[in-house]
Amino acid sequence: MGKIFHNLGFLAAAEVIECSASDLISYEDDMEKFMKRNPGLNSRFAESIYFQNLTPMHCVEPIFGSAPSSPSTPTIIALFSELIQLPSWGNVREVQTVKENVLSKTLQRDNPELKVDEDVLLQVLDDMVEERVLRSLF
């Protein structure tokens, strides 16, 4: 298949690597820059699909399985609110990263319980906010 498109002049090489545009570019302003580099792309991708950021509560629910109601809930919501405002926020992908980090830290404990420890979640979110804010400065 790649050879056909290469022979037609659509590809620089006959090798085809399967991916999607979302694998390459995840953010609206990056996508706009990408589309402007080749004027023909706009006619090939006539429709744009924009995804709204998740709300902080929608970020929390998959971690707990439901909306939490504890003293630390407002802090968790506030941390997700900070993350959502960053230009690099990746919605579900980021929530999955938080879940994976919480699970990893929970399993490293001497006596891990198979439930979300809010202290671990707060630490993971604090670390993520700090890291992502620093990244956004460069």
Side-chain angles (χ1 to χ4, degrees):
M1 178 77 123
K3 189 172 184 176
I4 294 169
F5 286 102
H6 172 68
N7 291 341
L8 291 171
F10 291 114
L11 297 175
E15 180 185 24
V16 176
I17 300 170
E18 187 175 329
C19 68
S20 70
S22 64
D23 291 335
L24 303 170
I25 300 171
S26 302
Y27 310 103
E28 187 177 334
D29 57 338
D30 289 337
M31 183 58 89
E32 292 297 327
K33 289 177 191 173
F34 177 69
M35 297 296 279
K36 286 179 183 175
R37 285 190 179 158
N38 182 338
L41 289 176
N42 283 319
S43 64
R44 291 184 185 105
F45 300 99
E47 291 185 41
S48 296
I49 301 172
Y50 297 97
F51 295 96
Q52 296 292 326
N53 280 342
L54 297 172
T55 65
M57 191 54 76
H58 282 118
C59 295
V60 172
E61 287 173 354
I63 295 170
F64 287 97
S66 63
S69 58
S70 71
S72 60
T73 300
T75 306
I76 294 168
I77 298 296
L79 289 167
F80 269 116
S81 294
E82 280 187 68
L83 287 167
I84 289 168
Q85 299 306 314
L86 295 172
S88 64
W89 176 249
N91 277 323
V92 174
R93 183 179 57 234
E94 300 286 15
V95 173
Q96 185 63 34
T97 299
V98 170
K99 286 174 62 173
E100 290 170 2
N101 290 343
V102 168
L103 178 62
S104 176
K105 288 184 183 298
T106 300
L107 292 176
Q108 291 172 8
R109 293 182 162 201
D110 290 336
N111 186 16
E113 293 183 37
L114 293 178
K115 68 174 192 164
V116 176
D117 183 323
E118 291 186 11
D119 291 334
V120 172
L121 177 58
L122 287 168
Q123 180 190 354
V124 166
L125 288 172
D126 275 333
D127 293 347
M128 189 178 223
V129 167
E130 183 179 333
E131 174 200 353
R132 300 299 163 85
V133 167
L134 285 174
R135 255 194 225 174
S136 71
L137 297 175
F138 297 103

